[in-house]
Amino acid sequence: MNSTDPKVNEVINTGIDQIKAGMRTSPDPFLWDNIVAAYEGSDQSYRIKGGDNHQTDRLRPVMKVLWSAIASAAAVFIGIIAANQFYSTSSVNEKDVYRREISMQSSSQTSAENMMYEFYNEE
Amino acid sequence: MTGGTAQLKWLVDAYQVKVYNICFSLVHNHHDAEDVTQDVFIEVLKHMDSFRGDSQLGTWIYRIAVNRSLNFIRSAKRRKVFSYIDELLSLSGKESPDVSYVNEPGADDEQRIVLQNALNALPEKQRTAFTLNKINDLSYKEIADIMDISHASVESLIHRAKLKLQKLLKSYYS
């Protein structure tokens, strides 16, 4: 391994040697029996080592988090819907008030115009 | 079980050491490597009939070993994230299971752990190509067949892996 840094070079080479030292050189005599047992009792979840279903145990906290995440997401979603409902109602009210103001303005404007018209026509 | 039991047993005996070592070099843990090896051979036995002979039997088995190991690492990372979230939310009263796949430290193998951590930081394809070549002593051709990529891609992946490893380790020791 070519490297400009001797320390890095040493780490890589020694690290590789140490990983290789942990490798297996002879077959596991129990592997075949384990495979046969797992294959024959295979119902899509084969775990024989240790005899317990540690896959399920490992997934339990994950499932717990998943369910709480779903519950939180549902709560946030309901909150958003409620807030949206509230604001859309208040904006309708504001619109109504605005419309009323405009109509009042225009009606008072019309009555003022009428008064002016009557005043000049009378004369 | 399909096929003659004696032939299948021979197949397991013939390939198990290499399969185990490939799994071990990728997952970095003996217990997990044993589990993955077992799963590899169950998959091999289940799909023996669908092996078309396009590649060599060994290449096909090693490809399953690599894929199974990478899947294991991915799910271990996911479990790690979830257990971290779990700890943060303190939902679990008991201690979360250890999902680290770099373990079994010894007094004299600091460099192994440092290298394994640096390897874990590499992109998946670079890590796989580097590990198969430098740790499992597979040729570029064998790696190209296993990873289903060209010879040039293997060269490039290993070269980039070396550069990135050197950079990571340099920053670790500086």
Side-chain angles (χ1 to χ4, degrees), chain A residues 2 10 18 22 24 28, chain B residues 16 21 30 108 111-112 166:
Chain A
N2 296 322
E10 186 202 321
Q18 286 175 347
R24 203 167 264 175
D28 171 8
Chain B
Q16 67 154 297
N21 287 338
H30 285 294
D108 304 323
Q111 282 155 331
R112 173 178 70 84
Q166 284 166 357

Side-chain angles (χ1 to χ4, degrees), chain A residues 1-5 7-8 10-12 14-16 18-20 22-28 31-32 34-36 38-39 42 44 46-49 54 58 61-62 64-66 68, chain B residues 1 5 8-9 12 16-17 20-21 24-25 30 34-35 37-39 41-42 45-46 79 82 85-86 91-92 108-109 111-112 114-116 130 134-137 162 166 169-170 173:
Chain A
M1 176 89 36
N2 296 322
S3 171
T4 49
D5 191 327
K7 178 71 186 167
V8 167
E10 186 202 321
V11 170
I12 293 175
T14 317
I16 287 173
Q18 286 175 347
I19 294 172
K20 281 183 174 178
M23 282 181 160
R24 203 167 264 175
T25 50
S26 57
D28 171 8
L31 182 64
W32 173 251
N34 287 342
I35 290 167
V36 172
Y39 188 90
S42 159
Q44 302 307 312
Y46 23 78
R47 290 276 155 192
I48 23 173
K49 287 197 173 70
H54 66 272
R58 278 184 196 174
V62 176
K64 219 187 245 183
V65 176
L66 195 65
S68 42
Chain B
M1 198 171 284
T5 308
L8 294 175
K9 189 176 184 309
V12 171
Q16 67 154 297
V17 172
Y20 173 85
N21 287 338
F24 173 70
S25 66
H30 285 294
E34 281 176 1
D35 282 356
T37 302
Q38 184 180 296
D39 289 348
F41 282 110
I42 288 169
L45 299 186
K46 276 188 170 177
R79 283 200 297 275
F82 275 119
I85 295 168
D86 197 21
L91 286 173
S92 173
D108 304 323
D109 55 2
Q111 282 155 331
R112 173 178 70 84
V114 170
L115 178 66
Q116 284 175 337
F130 183 89
K134 301 292 174 197
I135 300 174
N136 291 285
D137 297 322
K162 277 182 204 169
Q166 284 166 357
L169 293 171
K170 218 173 217 175
Y173 282 105

Side-chain angles (χ1 to χ4, degrees), chain A residues 54-114:
Chain A
H54 66 272
Q55 182 82 3
T56 317
D57 289 343
R58 278 184 196 174
L59 285 175
R60 195 163 292 144
V62 176
M63 291 307 291
K64 219 187 245 183
V65 176
L66 195 65
W67 280 117
S68 42
I70 291 169
S72 312
V76 169
F77 184 70
I78 290 166
I80 290 169
I81 299 277
N84 186 44
Q85 197 73 19
F86 173 76
Y87 282 111
S88 60
T89 314
S90 21
S91 62
V92 166
N93 288 342
E94 278 169 19
K95 275 180 198 166
D96 287 342
V97 170
Y98 181 68
R99 273 199 208 101
R100 257 179 247 136
E101 277 177 7
I102 294 291
S103 68
M104 279 170 72
Q105 274 178 11
S106 57
S107 62
S108 55
Q109 215 170 8
T110 316
S111 50
E113 280 168 4
N114 288 341

Side-chain angles (χ1 to χ4, degrees), chain B residues 73-150:
Chain B
I73 294 167
R74 286 185 207 119
S75 56
K77 276 183 181 170
R78 273 198 296 274
R79 283 200 297 275
K80 200 172 183 177
V81 169
F82 275 119
S83 60
Y84 178 69
I85 295 168
D86 197 21
E87 272 174 34
L88 278 182
L89 297 175
S90 303
L91 286 173
S92 173
K94 61 181 180 181
E95 210 171 289
S96 297
D98 181 22
V99 293
S100 168
Y101 51 90
V102 179
N103 64 358
E104 300 167 26
D108 304 323
D109 55 2
E110 187 208 329
Q111 282 155 331
R112 173 178 70 84
I113 294 165
V114 170
L115 178 66
Q116 284 175 337
N117 285 329
L119 283 170
N120 287 340
L122 293 180
E124 195 175 271
K125 282 187 175 179
Q126 287 181 24
R127 177 170 19 114
T128 306
F130 183 89
T131 303
L132 292 177
N133 180 246
K134 301 292 174 197
I135 300 174
N136 291 285
D137 297 322
L138 295 182
S139 69
Y140 284 13
K141 165 135 189 15
E142 285 172 306
I143 298 167
D145 291 341
I146 290 168
M147 294 179 73
D148 202 17
I149 53 176
S150 69

